[in-house]
Amino acid sequence: MVRRPGVPRLLREINDRAALELLLASGPLTRGQIGELTGLSKVTASQTLARLEERGLVEVVGEQAGNRGPNAALYGVIASCAYVAGLDVGPQTVTAAIADINGDVVAEVTASPDDHDDPVSLVHTAVVKACRSAKVALSRLRGVVIGTPGVVDPRTGDVRFSFDLPHWHEGVHEALARDLRRDVTIENDVNLAALAEQAKGAAQEVEDFVLVWVGRGIGLAVVLGGRLHRGRSGSAGEIGYLPVPGVPLAEDVKATPGRLPSLAGGLQSLVSSEAVTELALEYGFRGAGAAGCVTAAVAAGAKGEPFLDEVASRLALGVASVCVVLDPGLVVLAGEVGQAGGAALTSRVEEAVARICPIRPEVVTSRVEGNPVLRGAVLAALDQAREEIFTA
């Protein structure tokens, strides 16, 4: 008989992981409920819970009354067994959140970069402030995910280029990990917004969807088969470069050291914040930026319809181009302009897309509460932390 000495240990790891994942997803459960939902016997479930208690991962949090016999102990994950940090780094503000292993945010701080150009100092300061606010030691963080605008190279983890963050470049990823003394992940901000939409928003249980971010600029996140599609170089979703009829092509787009590529021309020139604001003035609407103009048009009712029709037609050029290639079942409009337009804008985009291509995807507004980029960063950091715990 061939001996397999690793099998019992592997089975214990599988059982521990199954029980812990169940508690994280469902909340406090009795030993019997854990056994029933995982298929473990009462004895195995008891042994599994004992190991998780010994590791400081679960504890008895209450009792559940039964019809007969003594009350059953309720087991729950110890929220403080691990913490994560998520950050949303933009040109004007940096927001950092600390969450426990259950995903509950225990502290959130927002600061202005001021004159701090160094990404390492910027992130370090934000994370330390957030940890102090949460009363959590930096050493207890098991995951750190940073959302930034721009293209992130999936092979190196570095920002290849960003219009808004010119000081983020090759080598920053390694420097951040060295400074914080832990693994750090940098991710495109629109991709993180899509992760939040998938977990907590309009794209729950949707395998194929795209998220179109309309704000200062335009960005796209692609989710296929339930997974983010970043592309070979991380440039998937750079829809601002998309050539559109009647608009000059984006030229001189190659990034070189010390110089960022141009984004003049292409779809960006039609739906950027500046373009939407300029269009709004032509229709007689003013507001705080493009989002304010769109809000004013929505509030104006019939008077705002021609302006909204034009914005939707411009967006539809990009959405239709994506749809005829990927055929997603769902398109989520996010970002300041997307949120401001609401159903008045999404319905128009859906109709405009159907007029110019053979596909009519459902177009909806983002349903993620709060800051979707920050929410996505926290969720991504939680996945890392939980995986570390599961495999420890």
Side-chain angles (χ1 to χ4, degrees):
M1 186 177 71
V2 178
R3 292 180 177 274
R4 300 183 65 187
V7 170
R9 178 179 178 180
L10 177 60
L11 289 175
R12 287 195 295 270
E13 291 175 356
I14 292 173
N15 293 340
D16 290 357
R17 179 170 186 148
L20 194 58
E21 285 182 330
L22 181 62
L23 288 170
L24 284 168
S26 304
L29 296 168
T30 66
R31 179 183 60 186
Q33 290 171 330
I34 292 172
E36 180 181 349
L37 293 171
T38 59
L40 301 176
S41 68
K42 290 183 178 179
V43 173
T44 303
S46 295
Q47 293 172 340
T48 297
L49 286 169
R51 287 193 298 271
L52 293 175
E53 280 189 287
E54 185 178 350
R55 290 177 60 191
L57 299 176
V58 304
E59 63 183 353
V60 176
V61 296
E63 293 183 340
Q64 184 178 78
N67 295 328
R68 299 164 61 182
N71 293 343
L74 279 169
Y75 291 86
V77 175
I78 299 174
S80 60
C81 69
Y83 292 93
V84 300
L87 289 89
D88 175 16
V89 178
Q92 273 90 39
T93 59
V94 176
T95 303
I98 305 296
D100 62 32
I101 197 62
N102 287 321
D104 295 325
V105 173
V106 294
E108 181 177 322
V109 299
T110 298
S112 171
D114 295 324
D115 296 326
H116 300 289
D117 294 332
D118 177 32
V120 176
S121 298
L122 189 68
V123 170
H124 182 94
T125 299
V127 172
V128 168
K129 284 184 177 179
C131 283
R132 286 175 180 169
S133 180
K135 297 181 180 178
V136 171
L138 185 64
S139 60
R140 300 188 65 188
L141 296 181
R142 294 237 188 170
V144 178
V145 175
I146 304 166
T148 69
V151 176
V152 179
D153 191 330
R155 296 165 295 186
T156 65
D158 269 314
V159 176
R160 288 180 52 221
F161 67 84
S162 172
F163 293 93
D164 295 321
L165 303 174
H167 297 282
W168 288 67
H169 48 70
E170 185 177 352
V172 168
H173 177 246
E174 182 180 347
L176 285 169
R178 188 166 55 247
D179 176 77
L180 295 175
R181 298 181 181 179
R182 69 201 67 258
D183 289 338
V184 173
T185 298
I186 305 173
E187 180 61 272
N188 173 265
D189 52 0
V190 181
N191 282 346
L192 290 177
L195 291 180
E197 206 69 51
Q198 184 181 37
K200 304 292 183 180
Q204 294 181 63
E205 300 182 4
V206 178
E207 288 291 302
D208 300 330
F209 74 95
V210 296
L211 182 141
V212 182
W213 186 277
V214 192
R216 180 178 177 273
I218 183 168
L220 177 79
V222 179
V223 176
L224 299 175
R227 299 169 64 90
L228 270 174
H229 177 73
R230 298 177 176 85
R232 178 177 175 274
S233 66
S235 298
E238 290 298 312
I239 196 174
Y241 294 105
L242 184 73
V244 293
V247 175
L249 295 174
E251 296 182 351
D252 196 21
V253 298
K254 187 177 180 181
T256 58
R259 183 186 61 78
L260 294 174
S262 170
L263 242 187
L267 183 64
Q268 174 78 14
S269 63
L270 289 179
V271 292
S272 67
S273 179
E274 293 83 358
V276 173
T277 301
E278 183 178 336
L279 180 66
L281 291 174
E282 295 177 13
Y283 283 90
F285 294 104
R286 288 177 171 77
C293 293
V294 172
T295 298
V298 172
K303 184 180 177 182
E305 290 181 0
F307 167 65
L308 294 174
D309 288 341
E310 178 61 26
V311 173
S313 295
R314 292 183 177 192
L315 285 172
L317 294 173
V319 173
S321 299
V322 172
C323 286
V324 294
V325 176
L326 301 178
D327 191 15
L330 180 70
V331 175
V332 181
L333 286 190
E336 298 89 346
V337 172
Q339 290 283 48
L345 184 59
T346 56
S347 62
R348 284 174 166 80
V349 171
E350 186 172 316
E351 292 171 2
V353 169
R355 285 196 299 269
I356 60 177
C357 82
I359 301 167
R360 183 176 185 136
E362 181 184 5
V363 183
V364 301
T365 309
S366 170
R367 295 176 193 157
V368 176
E369 297 181 0
N371 182 334
V373 176
L374 188 67
R375 190 73 174 271
V378 168
L379 289 170
L382 281 171
D383 284 345
Q384 295 177 2
R386 291 172 179 178
E387 185 63 29
E388 183 180 320
I389 289 173
F390 293 150
T391 57

